[in-house]
Amino acid sequence: TPNALFDFHYYLTVCSGNKAYALLFRSFEKMIRSLIEVHYSEPGELRRVLPLYHELSRCISQGNCAKADELILNILSTANDYLNKML
């Protein structure tokens, strides 16, 4: 769901240890939530990236930071590509 995805990304910013990043992310909450809703209103998009989120969660729990970074960039790149086409 869009709320869960926003929360997940927010917690990633908190876990980064960069308080300014987490604060900045939260300050754009309304816009980010809106973009998440647009992106995942297409069921195929969510199905396409859900495995990446599962793998990201696994990498984080295993402490595989390099792979987690790669997956986050992949997820964000996918969202960027989709939103650029739609907006």
Side-chain angles (χ1 to χ4, degrees):
T1 69
N3 287 334
L5 289 169
F6 176 86
D7 291 343
F8 185 80
H9 282 274
Y10 174 69
Y11 292 128
L12 287 176
T13 67
V14 171
C15 291
S16 76
N18 185 336
K19 291 180 182 181
Y21 183 48
L23 183 64
L24 186 64
F25 187 87
R26 184 62 91 179
S27 70
F28 288 98
E29 179 174 353
K30 189 173 182 176
M31 182 186 68
I32 293 169
R33 284 184 185 277
S34 224
L35 291 172
I36 288 171
E37 283 192 34
V38 169
H39 182 204
Y40 295 117
S41 64
E42 171 63 43
E45 280 298 298
L46 187 55
R47 279 192 301 273
R48 190 164 68 113
V49 296
L50 204 52
L52 297 175
Y53 278 105
H54 288 296
E55 188 177 354
L56 175 59
S57 294
R58 185 180 52 75
C59 288
I60 290 170
S61 68
Q62 293 174 349
N64 187 345
C65 298
K67 183 65 176 176
D69 284 346
E70 178 185 315
L71 287 164
I72 289 169
L73 290 175
N74 192 348
I75 289 167
L76 294 176
S77 176
T78 299
N80 184 61
D81 292 346
Y82 178 81
L83 292 169
N84 279 332
K85 284 190 293 188
M86 297 306 293
L87 301 176

mmCIF file of all heavy atoms in Angstrom, residues 5 12-13 17 22 25 30-31 34 37 41 43 47 50-51 56 60 65 69-72 77 84:
data_model
loop_
_atom_site.group_PDB
_atom_site.id
_atom_site.type_symbol
_atom_site.label_atom_id
_atom_site.label_comp_id
_atom_site.label_asym_id
_atom_site.label_seq_id
_atom_site.Cartn_x
_atom_site.Cartn_y
_atom_site.Cartn_z
ATOM 1 N N LEU A 5 4.585 1.787 1.886
ATOM 2 C CA LEU A 5 5.784 2.108 1.109
ATOM 3 C C LEU A 5 6.415 3.414 1.578
ATOM 4 O O LEU A 5 7.643 3.516 1.679
ATOM 5 C CB LEU A 5 5.454 2.169 -0.384
ATOM 6 C CG LEU A 5 5.159 0.820 -1.012
ATOM 7 C CD1 LEU A 5 4.591 0.998 -2.400
ATOM 8 C CD2 LEU A 5 6.407 -0.027 -1.051
ATOM 9 N N LEU A 12 13.957 3.806 6.207
ATOM 10 C CA LEU A 12 15.287 3.688 5.601
ATOM 11 C C LEU A 12 16.096 4.966 5.829
ATOM 12 O O LEU A 12 17.289 4.911 6.111
ATOM 13 C CB LEU A 12 15.189 3.407 4.100
ATOM 14 C CG LEU A 12 14.738 2.017 3.684
ATOM 15 C CD1 LEU A 12 14.593 1.950 2.169
ATOM 16 C CD2 LEU A 12 15.703 0.956 4.177
ATOM 17 N N THR A 13 15.423 6.121 5.710
ATOM 18 C CA THR A 13 16.143 7.387 5.940
ATOM 19 C C THR A 13 16.569 7.493 7.398
ATOM 20 O O THR A 13 17.664 7.962 7.685
ATOM 21 C CB THR A 13 15.310 8.628 5.544
ATOM 22 O OG1 THR A 13 14.194 8.772 6.413
ATOM 23 C CG2 THR A 13 14.869 8.571 4.110
ATOM 24 N N GLY A 17 20.992 7.007 9.583
ATOM 25 C CA GLY A 17 21.739 7.748 10.598
ATOM 26 C C GLY A 17 21.875 9.230 10.278
ATOM 27 O O GLY A 17 22.396 10.001 11.076
ATOM 28 N N ALA A 22 16.424 12.328 7.019
ATOM 29 C CA ALA A 22 15.117 11.892 7.502
ATOM 30 C C ALA A 22 14.169 13.085 7.653
ATOM 31 O O ALA A 22 12.994 13.007 7.288
ATOM 32 C CB ALA A 22 15.262 11.153 8.825
ATOM 33 N N PHE A 25 13.154 14.254 4.143
ATOM 34 C CA PHE A 25 12.191 13.306 3.574
ATOM 35 C C PHE A 25 10.808 13.566 4.153
ATOM 36 O O PHE A 25 9.823 13.645 3.433
ATOM 37 C CB PHE A 25 12.639 11.868 3.873
ATOM 38 C CG PHE A 25 11.814 10.821 3.185
ATOM 39 C CD1 PHE A 25 12.126 10.397 1.904
ATOM 40 C CD2 PHE A 25 10.731 10.240 3.828
ATOM 41 C CE1 PHE A 25 11.374 9.420 1.268
ATOM 42 C CE2 PHE A 25 9.964 9.263 3.199
ATOM 43 C CZ PHE A 25 10.291 8.858 1.917
ATOM 44 N N LYS A 30 3.881 14.964 1.863
ATOM 45 C CA LYS A 30 2.673 15.043 1.040
ATOM 46 C C LYS A 30 3.000 14.779 -0.437
ATOM 47 O O LYS A 30 2.301 14.014 -1.112
ATOM 48 C CB LYS A 30 2.019 16.411 1.206
ATOM 49 C CG LYS A 30 0.663 16.510 0.579
ATOM 50 C CD LYS A 30 -0.005 17.826 0.933
ATOM 51 C CE LYS A 30 -1.394 17.891 0.345
ATOM 52 N NZ LYS A 30 -2.101 19.095 0.735
ATOM 53 N N MET A 31 4.062 15.386 -0.933
ATOM 54 C CA MET A 31 4.448 15.195 -2.317
ATOM 55 C C MET A 31 4.905 13.755 -2.576
ATOM 56 O O MET A 31 4.532 13.140 -3.579
ATOM 57 C CB MET A 31 5.569 16.157 -2.707
ATOM 58 C CG MET A 31 5.978 16.034 -4.162
ATOM 59 S SD MET A 31 7.399 17.014 -4.607
ATOM 60 C CE MET A 31 8.692 16.203 -3.695
ATOM 61 N N SER A 34 2.039 11.396 -2.691
ATOM 62 C CA SER A 34 1.327 11.589 -3.956
ATOM 63 C C SER A 34 2.019 10.845 -5.090
ATOM 64 O O SER A 34 1.367 10.165 -5.907
ATOM 65 C CB SER A 34 1.311 13.073 -4.268
ATOM 66 O OG SER A 34 0.102 13.496 -4.697
ATOM 67 N N GLU A 37 1.527 7.117 -4.756
ATOM 68 C CA GLU A 37 0.184 6.722 -5.192
ATOM 69 C C GLU A 37 0.074 6.665 -6.714
ATOM 70 O O GLU A 37 -0.515 5.739 -7.268
ATOM 71 C CB GLU A 37 -0.863 7.655 -4.611
ATOM 72 C CG GLU A 37 -1.141 7.347 -3.162
ATOM 73 C CD GLU A 37 -2.378 8.052 -2.644
ATOM 74 O OE1 GLU A 37 -3.334 8.226 -3.422
ATOM 75 O OE2 GLU A 37 -2.372 8.411 -1.462
ATOM 76 N N SER A 41 -0.443 3.085 -8.575
ATOM 77 C CA SER A 41 -1.842 2.933 -8.958
ATOM 78 C C SER A 41 -1.954 1.936 -10.110
ATOM 79 O O SER A 41 -3.008 1.369 -10.353
ATOM 80 C CB SER A 41 -2.440 4.281 -9.359
ATOM 81 O OG SER A 41 -1.795 4.791 -10.505
ATOM 82 N N PRO A 43 -1.286 -1.575 -11.150
ATOM 83 C CA PRO A 43 -0.988 -2.842 -10.468
ATOM 84 C C PRO A 43 0.275 -3.545 -10.982
ATOM 85 O O PRO A 43 1.008 -4.157 -10.213
ATOM 86 C CB PRO A 43 -2.225 -3.698 -10.723
ATOM 87 C CG PRO A 43 -3.306 -2.732 -11.027
ATOM 88 C CD PRO A 43 -2.631 -1.553 -11.691
ATOM 89 N N ARG A 47 3.569 -5.099 -8.787
ATOM 90 C CA ARG A 47 4.003 -6.494 -8.962
ATOM 91 C C ARG A 47 5.448 -6.574 -9.447
ATOM 92 O O ARG A 47 6.180 -7.487 -9.101
ATOM 93 C CB ARG A 47 3.082 -7.224 -9.946
ATOM 94 C CG ARG A 47 1.799 -7.711 -9.337
ATOM 95 C CD ARG A 47 1.068 -8.679 -10.259
ATOM 96 N NE ARG A 47 0.735 -8.107 -11.556
ATOM 97 C CZ ARG A 47 -0.362 -7.421 -11.824
ATOM 98 N NH1 ARG A 47 -1.253 -7.220 -10.894
ATOM 99 N NH2 ARG A 47 -0.586 -6.944 -13.036
ATOM 100 N N LEU A 50 7.721 -5.319 -6.226
ATOM 101 C CA LEU A 50 7.553 -5.981 -4.934
ATOM 102 C C LEU A 50 8.668 -6.984 -4.636
ATOM 103 O O LEU A 50 9.181 -7.013 -3.504
ATOM 104 C CB LEU A 50 6.180 -6.629 -4.847
ATOM 105 C CG LEU A 50 5.624 -6.848 -3.450
ATOM 106 C CD1 LEU A 50 5.650 -5.578 -2.630
ATOM 107 C CD2 LEU A 50 4.217 -7.404 -3.524
ATOM 108 N N PRO A 51 9.100 -7.787 -5.616
ATOM 109 C CA PRO A 51 10.227 -8.691 -5.334
ATOM 110 C C PRO A 51 11.498 -7.927 -4.934
ATOM 111 O O PRO A 51 12.283 -8.416 -4.113
ATOM 112 C CB PRO A 51 10.433 -9.440 -6.653
ATOM 113 C CG PRO A 51 9.117 -9.365 -7.345
ATOM 114 C CD PRO A 51 8.537 -8.030 -6.954
ATOM 115 N N LEU A 56 15.283 -6.445 -0.776
ATOM 116 C CA LEU A 56 15.876 -5.360 0.007
ATOM 117 C C LEU A 56 15.732 -5.642 1.495
ATOM 118 O O LEU A 56 16.697 -5.499 2.262
ATOM 119 C CB LEU A 56 15.224 -4.024 -0.358
ATOM 120 C CG LEU A 56 15.640 -2.806 0.452
ATOM 121 C CD1 LEU A 56 17.147 -2.557 0.357
ATOM 122 C CD2 LEU A 56 14.859 -1.575 -0.023
ATOM 123 N N ILE A 60 18.856 -6.152 4.100
ATOM 124 C CA ILE A 60 18.994 -5.320 5.301
ATOM 125 C C ILE A 60 19.101 -6.205 6.536
ATOM 126 O O ILE A 60 19.972 -5.994 7.379
ATOM 127 C CB ILE A 60 17.817 -4.331 5.423
ATOM 128 C CG1 ILE A 60 17.922 -3.263 4.326
ATOM 129 C CG2 ILE A 60 17.796 -3.679 6.807
ATOM 130 C CD1 ILE A 60 16.692 -2.389 4.193
ATOM 131 N N CYS A 65 24.876 -4.434 3.135
ATOM 132 C CA CYS A 65 24.658 -3.021 2.811
ATOM 133 C C CYS A 65 24.892 -2.706 1.339
ATOM 134 O O CYS A 65 24.136 -1.922 0.749
ATOM 135 C CB CYS A 65 25.548 -2.139 3.672
ATOM 136 S SG CYS A 65 25.191 -2.292 5.430
ATOM 137 N N ASP A 69 22.030 -1.111 -0.967
ATOM 138 C CA ASP A 69 22.207 0.160 -1.689
ATOM 139 C C ASP A 69 21.852 0.002 -3.163
ATOM 140 O O ASP A 69 21.175 0.838 -3.753
ATOM 141 C CB ASP A 69 23.649 0.661 -1.578
ATOM 142 C CG ASP A 69 23.977 1.255 -0.236
ATOM 143 O OD1 ASP A 69 23.053 1.535 0.548
ATOM 144 O OD2 ASP A 69 25.177 1.453 0.027
ATOM 145 N N GLU A 70 22.330 -1.081 -3.752
ATOM 146 C CA GLU A 70 22.055 -1.352 -5.177
ATOM 147 C C GLU A 70 20.552 -1.488 -5.420
ATOM 148 O O GLU A 70 20.019 -0.946 -6.391
ATOM 149 C CB GLU A 70 22.780 -2.635 -5.581
ATOM 150 C CG GLU A 70 22.569 -3.070 -6.993
ATOM 151 C CD GLU A 70 23.237 -4.416 -7.269
ATOM 152 O OE1 GLU A 70 24.394 -4.613 -6.853
ATOM 153 O OE2 GLU A 70 22.568 -5.263 -7.897
ATOM 154 N N LEU A 71 19.871 -2.202 -4.533
ATOM 155 C CA LEU A 71 18.431 -2.403 -4.690
ATOM 156 C C LEU A 71 17.649 -1.109 -4.515
ATOM 157 O O LEU A 71 16.693 -0.847 -5.249
ATOM 158 C CB LEU A 71 17.940 -3.460 -3.691
ATOM 159 C CG LEU A 71 18.350 -4.883 -4.037
ATOM 160 C CD1 LEU A 71 18.185 -5.795 -2.843
ATOM 161 C CD2 LEU A 71 17.540 -5.384 -5.220
ATOM 162 N N ILE A 72 18.046 -0.284 -3.557
ATOM 163 C CA ILE A 72 17.369 0.998 -3.351
ATOM 164 C C ILE A 72 17.504 1.851 -4.608
ATOM 165 O O ILE A 72 16.524 2.448 -5.075
ATOM 166 C CB ILE A 72 17.930 1.732 -2.119
ATOM 167 C CG1 ILE A 72 17.502 1.012 -0.844
ATOM 168 C CG2 ILE A 72 17.459 3.190 -2.088
ATOM 169 C CD1 ILE A 72 18.206 1.491 0.406
ATOM 170 N N SER A 77 15.155 4.173 -9.341
ATOM 171 C CA SER A 77 15.301 4.363 -10.780
ATOM 172 C C SER A 77 14.043 3.895 -11.513
ATOM 173 O O SER A 77 13.574 4.552 -12.451
ATOM 174 C CB SER A 77 16.528 3.602 -11.282
ATOM 175 O OG SER A 77 16.643 3.704 -12.666
ATOM 176 N N ASN A 84 8.388 9.657 -14.950
ATOM 177 C CA ASN A 84 8.742 10.512 -16.076
ATOM 178 C C ASN A 84 7.866 10.242 -17.294
ATOM 179 O O ASN A 84 7.536 11.153 -18.053
ATOM 180 C CB ASN A 84 10.215 10.361 -16.450
ATOM 181 C CG ASN A 84 11.118 11.167 -15.566
ATOM 182 O OD1 ASN A 84 10.729 12.208 -15.027
ATOM 183 N ND2 ASN A 84 12.340 10.695 -15.382
#
